[in-house]
Structures are given as C-alpha cells and as structure tokens.
Amino acid sequence: GLDISALLKTTGDTTLDVGFVNTASCTSEITYIDGDAGILRYRGYPIEQLAEKSTFLETTYLLIYGELPSPSELEAFDQRLRRHTLLVEDMKNFFDGFPRDAHPMSVLSSAVSALGTFYQDSHDPHDPEAVEISTIRLLAKVPTIASYAFRKSQGQSLLYPDNNYDLVENFLWMTFGQPTENYEMDPELAKALDLLFILHADHEQNCSTSTVRLVGSSEANLFNAISAGIHALSGPLHGGANSAVLTMLSQIQRDGGDVKEFVRRVKNKEDGVKLMGFGHRVYKNYDPRAAIVKKTAHQLFEKAGPNPLLDLAMELEQTALEDDYFVERKLYPNVDFYTGLIYESMGFPSNMFTVLFAIGRLPGWIAQYREMITDPATKIGRPRQVYTGSPARDYVPSSER
Ligand code: ACO
C-alpha cells in the first residue's frame, strides 16, 4: 500500500529499487550476460567455447588479466600458483579450534579472513604489487583451506599440498588422499571438476560479487572482501541452492517420488516451498551453464551407472518446463539444478557443494575487486533508502510510558 511516487517527491531524486532489480552499480569489462537469449561470455568468449576448450587455470588468467595467456604466460602463472599452495603452520590452529560439525562454508570464510592477518604487508588496495601477491596467495591457498574444512568435518588429519599436481588435482588429493595410501588421480574426475569450476568462475554483479565490490569500495583489503563474498554465497538463494536441490530431490524420493504432487505444492506456495535450482534474476531463458552441466551429468552417470535422483531431476525439469506457472514466470533450470548430483557422485558431502562453488567463483571475485579498485569512477558504495518510519515526535520519559 505504499505510494512510492509520493515518497519519491519527499526524498528528492532517490529511486527505490528493492533488490537492485533495475540498477547497475558499476560498468564492467569482465562478463557479459544476455538473460533473455541465455548468453554468457567471459571477456567476450562464449562460455560454451571455454567449457569445451579451456581449463580452469587458463580461464582464471583470462578473467583476472583480461586476455588468454600465451603458453609461456600460462606456464609462469601455473608455477607461481604451485609455489603458494601451503598455509602458514599457525593457520592449522584455526582448524583445530572449530567444532567438528561446523559448516565448511563458515570455516572457509573465517579462515580466508584469518589468512589476511598473516599478510599485513600486502593490504594496501592501491599498491598493484600488494594486490597481485594477495591474488596469487588467495588463488593458491583457498583450495588448501577448502580441503582442510572438508577433512576437519570428517575428523581426518590434514594433508600437505603436493605441488606436482595442478590446482584442481591438488585439491582432490588434499581432500580425498590418505597419508598412508597411494592416491590414484582419476583424470576424468579432475576434468569434470575443472569444467564445473570454469562454469562458476564469474557471473557479473550477483549477490556475492556485489558484496565483494561493496566491501572493497571502502578500501578494505582483498582478503576481507573475499571473505565477505563467501558469506554472501552461503545462503540457499545463492550458492547454497546446489545442496538445497539435492535435499529437495531426496525428500521427493522419500515421499514416494510423486513429482506432480511436489510441483503442485510449489505452485500453491505451500509452506513457501520453491523448486530449488529453478529461476534466476537475470536468465529468463535456459541458463547456458545448466545446459552444459546437464550434458556432463549424463556423461558421468553413463559410466557410473544409473542414478534414481538424476531420473527424478529430469522428470521434475520436464514437468516444470511444460507447466504454465513456470512458463509464465520464465523459470528455467539454473546452474545449480544438476551440479549437486555431480558433486555427490564425486564423493563430496552436500555441505561441501557450496564450498566448491566458492573455489570456482574466486577468480571472478578477484577480477571484479581489481577492476573496481583501479576504476577512477569508483566511489564508496552507499545506497540510499526511502524512510517509512514515524514522523518526528517528542521523547517520552520512561515514567510516562
Ligand atoms: N520456485 C517456484 N517459484 C519461483 C521460483 C522457484 N524456484 N523462483 C521464482 N519463483 C516465482 C516467485 O515466487 C515469483 O512468483 P510471484 O510473481 O507469483 O510472486 C516469480 O517467480 C518471480 O520470482 P522472484 O522471487 O521475484 O525472482 P527473483 O529474481 O527475486 O529471484 C531467485 C531469483 C532467488 C534465484 C529465485 O528464482 C529462487 O529463489 N530460486 C530458487 C533458489 C535457487 O535456485 N537459487 C540459485 C540461483 S543461481 C545462483 O546463485 C548460482
């Protein structure tokens, strides 16, 4: 019942845009999305081409430095990252301090923030060298921290990185390796995870990226801005959707597998139930990342054997795509609809799914922070509001209340 136009008159030229549905907060050269056409490009390159031909390491370089690397540039970048994967030994105290059932996403964000305390020499956001070394440290150490968060939750000892491995393989080794056993790297598993990281690597001004930019706009250092981004990603409406999808599929299966009944409940908004993994603020068409993930899921499960939850997911997708409720609202599967199934088949527990998203999104957050901090047009982020509270009134002494 708010008369917005009247409010606007009283608040000068302030515009109310709840959830920033129509407001651009910056200009950016990093990622292009056309939500109606289902197009996503990093630095101009279509996501389909990067998914097929690039690697996560190369895509990371592309996002952060703006161009695809030459072979020698990529080699130098790879070697540099490999030298920075270890954590300061004192960092281990943090992992010891968390309760075993702590959510790994909270462990990750806290540890990234803590990591910054060991590198106070590189906090100046306007010193390009400081930002560069912080970039390398974060890219190299976040997978180590993520694997430690996992092992902590499993009650397992922490493994040192093996820098003969590349970034993604090293993460798999530190996560699933055992100190007394030979670890056999599964190249197909590493390749599938690498692909998922590419698909998550940037997505312009989503909730977590906007958080990184907003925190960074106060000239907070890169570690603190990234830690804030991880917190933003943890919610079920953002990065947490991938594990929420699996919970939803398992629940439908436990209830007898009646997809139509579940869709009916969603449409009636019973108990606020949503079709998790569906809908997107920007895509009003099939999320191009979801199409690639779906294909990957099929390839993986062809080898691993049938998965009843995949069948359920496909039935759910088909039912929704043929239903007026979803058609009218332009709700299509987003990237998270099929990723949880893949992560589970790789051996990750569901509370690690969002951590995997964070590893993938890290290059995007860093690229966006660097663009923001070097853009002369940047100002501290400070939205306005439309005040709807009480008009001026006089203080009432407590004896008269
Ligand atoms: N299931 C059922 N209905 C939905 C869904 C859904 N998943 N998503 C949107 N709707 C409905 C809304 O209820 C609303 O209907 P109404 O007009 O009758 O009230 C309409 O579609 C428009 O939805 P909004 O909530 O206004 O869209 P918004 O852009 O604010 O939200 C969001 C986008 C948060 C992604 C939403 O679609 C959602 O909650 N989806 C489920 C969670 C999810 O999958 N998140 C992952 C997003 S992708 C990512 O972070 C990588």
Side-chain angles (χ1 to χ4, degrees):
L2 266 184
D3 180 356
I4 299 297
S5 55
L7 281 167
L8 285 180
K9 264 184 220 137
T10 61
T11 51
D13 50 9
T14 298
T15 308
L16 179 67
D17 183 10
V18 176
F20 311 116
V21 180
N22 296 302
T23 302
S25 59
C26 60
T27 61
S28 179
E29 297 179 356
I30 302 171
T31 289
Y32 173 80
I33 302 178
D34 180 337
D36 293 324
I39 292 173
L40 169 62
R41 298 183 200 128
Y42 298 159
R43 301 281 187 188
Y45 296 104
I47 191 65
E48 291 79 6
Q49 290 183 21
L50 293 169
E52 193 192 330
K53 298 180 180 150
S54 187
T55 61
F56 181 54
L57 186 75
E58 189 183 66
T59 298
T60 297
Y61 187 101
L62 170 68
L63 284 168
I64 294 177
Y65 302 108
E67 295 295 335
L68 285 169
S70 68
S72 62
E73 284 167 338
L74 186 64
E75 173 66 15
F77 185 52
D78 185 15
Q79 289 307 324
R80 196 154 183 230
L81 288 183
R82 286 184 202 230
R83 282 199 302 275
H84 283 275
T85 53
L86 277 162
L87 298 182
V88 180
E89 281 295 307
D90 284 349
M91 274 291 292
K92 282 192 179 166
N93 297 328
F94 289 101
F95 295 98
D96 289 339
F98 290 115
R100 181 164 160 194
D101 61 354
H103 197 290
M105 236 358 220
S106 303
V107 174
L108 180 66
S109 46
S110 308
V112 165
S113 183
L115 189 66
T117 66
F118 292 91
Y119 301 111
Q120 296 181 58
D121 58 333
S122 61
H123 283 187
D124 180 358
H126 293 299
D127 173 358
E129 273 179 38
V131 174
E132 180 61 18
I133 186 64
S134 298
T135 296
I136 298 294
R137 283 172 176 150
L138 278 162
L139 290 171
K141 293 177 202 300
V142 161
T144 310
I145 293 174
S147 69
Y148 284 9
F150 170 81
R151 292 187 83 90
K152 172 78 198 174
S153 70
Q154 304 290 305
Q156 295 180 350
S157 60
L158 310 183
L159 291 180
Y160 285 105
D162 176 347
N163 293 330
N164 294 310
Y165 289 130
D166 71 25
L167 207 67
V168 175
E169 292 170 340
N170 216 345
F171 170 67
L172 285 170
W173 145 250
M174 287 184 285
T175 303
F176 296 122
Q178 295 304 331
T180 52
E181 289 168 24
N182 253 347
Y183 181 67
E184 228 174 277
M185 184 60 62
D186 177 347
E188 277 185 36
L189 175 72
K191 194 169 180 313
L193 192 57
D194 196 277
L195 168 66
L196 290 178
F197 287 160
I198 292 175
L199 298 181
H200 285 89
D202 194 52
H203 214 230
E204 51 118 306
Q205 306 313 317
N206 55 82
C207 178
S208 56
T209 304
S210 298
T211 301
V212 169
R213 277 189 178 254
L214 186 65
V215 172
S217 76
S218 76
E219 308 200 341
N221 70 66
L222 185 60
F223 295 93
N224 288 348
I226 298 295
S227 172
I230 298 170
H231 280 296
L233 187 69
S234 70
L237 296 188
H238 190 10
N242 52 16
S243 60
V245 171
L246 209 67
T247 309
M248 172 187 75
L249 293 173
S250 309
Q251 188 60 48
I252 298 173
Q253 192 187 39
R254 272 199 300 278
D255 292 346
D258 190 343
V259 163
K260 296 216 159 50
E261 166 58 15
F262 179 76
V263 168
R264 188 195 62 74
R265 289 184 59 218
V266 170
K267 284 170 18 181
N268 289 341
K269 304 195 169 148
E270 277 177 30
D271 309 321
V273 59
K274 276 186 173 179
L275 179 45
M276 298 311 284
F278 255 70
H280 198 276
R281 172 59 61 77
V282 184
Y283 291 120
K284 303 302 169 195
N285 199 326
Y286 213 99
D287 179 338
R289 303 165 302 170
I292 300 169
V293 177
K294 188 176 171 185
K295 212 168 86 192
T296 310
H298 279 290
Q299 285 163 356
L300 285 175
F301 287 115
E302 242 167 57
K303 286 228 167 77
N307 181 327
L309 289 187
L310 177 65
D311 296 339
L312 205 58
M314 285 195 317
E315 194 188 335
L316 196 51
E317 178 189 334
Q318 203 49 43
T319 309
L321 291 180
E322 287 166 2
D323 192 298
D324 283 350
Y325 174 97
F326 297 91
V327 174
E328 278 162 16
R329 289 170 178 77
K330 298 189 175 155
L331 301 171
Y332 293 86
N334 59 52
V335 67
D336 285 327
F337 194 64
Y338 287 101
T339 50
L341 286 163
I342 299 180
Y343 293 146
E344 190 193 40
S345 79
M346 289 175 169
F348 291 101
S350 64
N351 64 3
M352 276 296 286
F353 297 174
T354 316
V355 170
L356 296 169
F357 191 155
I359 299 175
R361 183 54 54 87
L362 182 64
W365 287 332
I366 294 175
Q368 300 270 351
Y369 178 99
R370 291 168 64 122
E371 186 178 63
M372 177 274 305
I373 211 75
T374 51
D375 181 350
T378 294
K379 282 174 180 249
I380 186 167
R382 203 302 184 190
R384 301 300 305 273
Q385 64 165 15
V386 174
Y387 177 71
T388 59
S390 169
R393 48 183 169 166
D394 289 323
Y395 181 81
V396 182
S398 69
S399 59
E400 290 170 30
R401 280 176 229 155

